[in-house]
Amino acid sequence: MTLRYKVLIIYITFFSTIKSADYTGSIAFIDVVMDSASIVQYGELFSSMSSQLQGTPQMRVIDPEIVLSVVGQYTDFDDPERQIPDREIIISIGQELSADYVMYAGTKVGQYGSILTGEIISTRSGGAISTIQINILDVINALEAESNIASWALIGEEPPYELMQPRRDLFPKNPKDIKEDKTPFGALWRSTVAPGWGQFYSNKRLPGFAFPSVEAVLFGVLFFNFTQYSSAVKSLQESSKLYDKETDPDEVLRLRKETIGYYNAHKSYNKAMINNGIMIGTVWAINAIHAYVAGPRPQKFIHGPEPYRRK
Amino acid sequence: MKKIFTLLYQKIIRLELISIGFLGIIIFFSCKTYEIKLDNPIDAIADSIAGVFPPALTMHPLTQTVSNGDSITIGTYIIDHDTTLAGVHAHITYNAELIQLDTILPGVLLTNNGANTPLFTYTVVFGTIDIFAWYLGGEGALSYVTETGHIAELYFTALNSGETLVEYDTTQCELVTPLDEIISIQGIRNASITIQ
C-alpha cells in the first residue's frame, strides 16, 4: 500500500515538474512614455521585433494594448514628468502579463532618430538579461534585412552572416551571460526549509501550493496515527494493569485478548507513523529537487536557434 | 492582492515550520513500541508460557512488596484441571518469622459462588497451612467442578523486613475426583513477598 502511494507521489511530482517547465517564452515591452497615440508607431517597432523573433517560435510579443492597460494601473499617464517605475514593479507588471521577459525602456529623440534604450529582465528570476539600445532606424533596416533573409530562404540558400547579425545582437547569445538575481540554489534551500517556498520563489504557483498541501495532508495523517498510537498505548497500559490484578478466570482471558489487541494496534500505528515519516521525507526531498530543477535559470536560445557560428 | 497572498503564504510557511517542529519533537520522543508481559497466574496460557502446565496450583499475585505491619492477601487457585474435581488438599508453607497468618476464607470455586456448601477446613502450624475442601457427594447436588477457580483466600500480616515465599508443597498437595481418584498436579506457581 505504502509503495503504491510512493509511486503515485513520485509520478505526480515528475508530472508536475514536466507540466510546470515554463519554456514558452513571451516578452512584454514596457515604456512609460508610450501612450495610445504612439502605439501605432510602437506597433511598427513591435512587429519588427516580432518578425526578428520569428526564428524562435516559442517567443511571443505581448500585445502593446494589453501592456498599456496594465502599466496604466501603476503609472499616471497624465503626469508629464512620470518616471520609469521601480524594477520590482516592472517585474510585477511582467508577471501580471504572464510574460517571461520584460523590456522596459524610454525613448530619446536624437539627431539620427529615436533611440529606444532599455533593459531586458527575466520576470521569473528578476535577473538582467541585457541592456540594449535600439535605434528605430535600425529596426527599419532590420525589416529590410528580414526581407532579404526571406529571399535567401526562398532560393534555398543560407543568408549571409551580416544579415543575421542584427537578429543575433538583440538578445545575449549565451545563457551564462544572463545575470540572475534568483538562482536554482536559492529555490533549493528555500524548499528545503519549507516545502513550496522555493517554488513560489521561482513563480511556480501550482507546485508551490501543491507541495505544502501534500505535506499538510501527510502531516495530518501522521497526527491522526499519532493520536491513535497514543490512545492504544494508554489503553494498553491500563488493560495490562487490569489483567495483572484480575482474579476472575473469564475476565482474565477477556483482558488478555483486549491487551493483545491494544498491543497489536500500538505496533501497527507505530509502523504507520514510521512509514508516514518516510513518505513526508520523500515528498520533502522531491519538493527540494523539484525546486532546484524548476528553479529560475537562464532560458536557452531565447533568440532562436543560432543561425551561424560567430565569426 | 498579490502582496496579500504573499504575506498569507509567508504566515502559512511560518506556522507550518512551527507545527512541523513541534510535531516532530513530540513524535521523536514518544514514538516507541512497548513490550507486554502477560503473566497472570490465573491465565492458563500465561502459565503454559512460563512452563507451568495444567492442572496447576497457583497463587495470585505472584509477587508483592509491602511494608512492616501491612496486610497481605494471597489467593490460591487451581488452573484448568479439565476433569471432575471433588476435593483439594493444599499444603502451603511460609516464613512465619516474617508474616503471620490472620485468616483463611474459602474461594468461590467449590462454593459455586455461594450456592453450595463444601466441607472447608484448615489447620495452621508455625509456618505451614493445610487446607482441605471437598464435596460430600450428595445425590442430585453439585458434587464436583471442572473449571479454573479460586480455592481459598489467605490473609497475612507483615511482621519483619525480608523476603519470603508462600509456596505449595507438591509432595503433600492432593486433588481428587468424586471417586477419590488422584488428579496429577502438573505444575505450581508460588507467591513471593518482599517486606520493606
Side-chain angles (χ1 to χ4, degrees):
Chain A
M1 194 62 149
T2 312
L3 182 70
R4 211 180 296 168
Y5 280 132
K6 281 178 190 168
V7 169
L8 186 67
I9 287 164
I10 290 165
Y11 173 77
I12 290 168
T13 308
F14 281 102
F15 183 71
S16 67
T17 307
I18 293 160
K19 290 298 286 181
S20 64
D22 196 4
Y23 290 110
T24 51
S26 56
I27 186 163
F29 296 95
I30 297 170
D31 182 3
V32 291
V33 297
M34 76 180 176
D35 50 29
S36 300
S38 64
I39 274 180
V40 179
Q41 183 195 343
Y42 278 94
E44 196 178 328
L45 171 67
F46 291 133
S47 49
S48 303
M49 287 181 165
S50 297
S51 66
Q52 279 197 302
L53 294 164
Q54 287 304 307
T56 311
Q58 69 266 33
M59 286 303 288
R60 182 175 63 85
V61 178
I62 292 173
D63 187 344
E65 287 275 11
I66 299 168
V67 176
L68 186 65
S69 67
V70 176
V71 173
Q73 294 169 23
Y74 295 88
T75 307
D76 181 9
F77 283 121
D78 296 331
D79 179 5
E81 292 179 1
R82 58 186 179 269
Q83 297 294 315
I84 294 172
D86 290 342
R87 185 189 176 89
E88 288 301 316
I89 292 171
I90 293 284
I91 293 169
S92 298
I93 291 168
Q95 287 172 350
E96 207 167 315
L97 289 162
S98 301
D100 297 297
Y101 303 95
V102 176
M103 189 179 81
Y104 65 106
T107 46
K108 283 182 185 172
V109 180
Q111 193 180 354
Y112 303 106
S114 297
I115 305 286
L116 183 66
T117 307
E119 194 176 27
I120 296 177
I121 50 174
S122 166
T123 57
R124 297 190 307 154
S125 68
I129 289 174
S130 182
T131 304
I132 57 171
Q133 283 191 330
I134 298 171
N135 189 326
I136 292 175
L137 289 176
D138 281 351
V139 174
I140 294 162
N141 292 336
L143 278 171
E144 194 180 332
E146 287 297 320
S147 306
N148 281 332
I149 289 167
S151 307
W152 281 91
L154 278 173
I155 59 168
E157 292 290 328
E158 286 189 345
Y161 177 74
E162 286 69 24
L163 283 177
M164 303 297 284
Q165 197 171 24
R167 200 192 242 183
R168 287 162 58 89
D169 284 344
L170 196 57
F171 294 106
K173 299 299 167 287
N174 199 324
K176 74 181 180 190
D177 295 337
I178 299 172
K179 292 170 192 168
E180 290 289 342
D181 286 352
K182 293 183 179 179
T183 62
F185 277 109
L188 176 68
W189 78 254
R190 279 173 175 82
S191 271
T192 307
V193 171
W197 188 9
Q199 280 79 2
F200 270 91
Y201 168 82
S202 311
N203 294 319
K204 306 281 180 198
R205 287 193 185 182
L206 182 66
F209 280 114
F211 278 112
S213 303
V214 172
E215 286 287 4
V217 168
L218 288 174
F219 269 98
V221 174
L222 180 68
F223 186 70
F224 170 79
N225 283 330
F226 177 68
T227 53
Q228 294 298 307
Y229 162 84
S230 301
S231 166
V233 167
K234 195 179 169 193
S235 302
L236 170 69
Q237 287 166 341
E238 284 171 2
S239 176
S240 179
K241 274 182 193 168
L242 287 173
Y243 167 85
D244 285 339
K245 285 181 184 170
E246 188 55 57
T247 56
D248 180 76
D250 294 332
E251 197 61 13
V252 165
L253 286 176
R254 189 190 68 76
L255 284 168
R256 178 185 185 82
K257 199 175 169 184
E258 192 176 281
T259 308
I260 290 171
Y262 288 131
Y263 175 77
N264 291 335
H266 108 284
K267 289 264 279 189
S268 70
Y269 283 118
N270 181 266
K271 197 176 172 186
M273 278 199 295
I274 291 166
N275 284 333
N276 220 180
I278 292 168
M279 285 171 78
I280 287 170
T282 308
V283 172
W284 205 301
I286 290 170
N287 141 78
I289 294 165
H290 175 273
Y292 181 78
V293 171
R297 50 169 57 79
Q299 191 170 314
K300 289 180 181 176
F301 308 123
I302 57 169
H303 59 296
E306 287 286 335
Y308 292 105
R309 282 187 184 175
R310 266 186 189 280
K311 287 179 182 175
Chain B
M1 183 61 98
K2 197 184 165 192
K3 280 191 176 175
I4 292 168
F5 276 120
T6 310
L7 281 172
L8 186 68
Y9 184 73
Q10 282 171 350
K11 293 269 181 202
I12 291 168
I13 291 277
R14 206 168 295 165
L15 274 174
E16 193 173 287
L17 277 173
I18 293 166
S19 317
I20 288 167
F22 185 65
L23 211 61
I25 289 165
I26 290 175
I27 290 165
F28 182 78
F29 285 107
S30 57
C31 182
K32 61 174 183 179
T33 53
Y34 295 83
E35 289 306 318
I36 48 167
K37 194 181 175 191
L38 297 173
D39 194 20
N40 187 324
I42 297 159
D43 181 357
I45 301 166
D47 288 338
S48 300
I49 293 166
V52 177
F53 298 96
L57 289 170
T58 65
M59 292 189 189
H60 181 277
L62 288 173
T63 58
Q64 52 187 309
T65 303
V66 295
S67 302
N68 263 341
D70 284 355
S71 63
I72 303 156
T73 307
I74 295 173
T76 57
Y77 294 84
I78 177 162
I79 308 300
D80 259 5
H81 44 86
D82 200 26
T83 184
T84 54
L85 176 73
V88 176
H89 170 213
H91 185 80
I92 296 164
T93 60
Y94 58 94
N95 187 340
E97 290 177 356
L98 298 182
I99 54 174
Q100 179 190 351
L101 182 73
D102 294 331
T103 186
I104 298 175
L105 293 178
V108 294
L109 174 68
L110 295 169
T111 61
N112 192 23
N113 284 325
N116 301 314
T117 314
L119 206 61
F120 187 89
T121 63
Y122 62 88
T123 58
V124 180
V125 181
F126 189 77
T128 61
I129 305 165
D130 281 288
I131 299 168
F132 299 91
W134 68 92
Y135 291 112
L136 292 176
E139 201 174 320
L142 180 65
S143 57
Y144 61 85
V145 287
T146 56
E147 58 198 8
T148 294
H150 189 197
I151 301 167
E153 198 81 348
L154 315 178
Y155 295 90
F156 297 93
T157 301
L159 299 177
N160 294 303
S161 297
E163 201 172 320
T164 179
L165 280 176
V166 179
E167 54 189 334
Y168 293 104
D169 181 352
T170 47
T171 58
Q172 294 188 51
C173 289
E174 215 174 51
L175 306 176
V176 292
T177 66
L179 300 172
D180 207 25
E181 292 162 335
I182 300 288
I183 301 169
S184 169
I185 299 167
Q186 296 297 316
I188 55 160
R189 298 194 84 179
N190 301 313
S192 167
I193 299 161
T194 305
I195 305 155
Q196 292 172 334

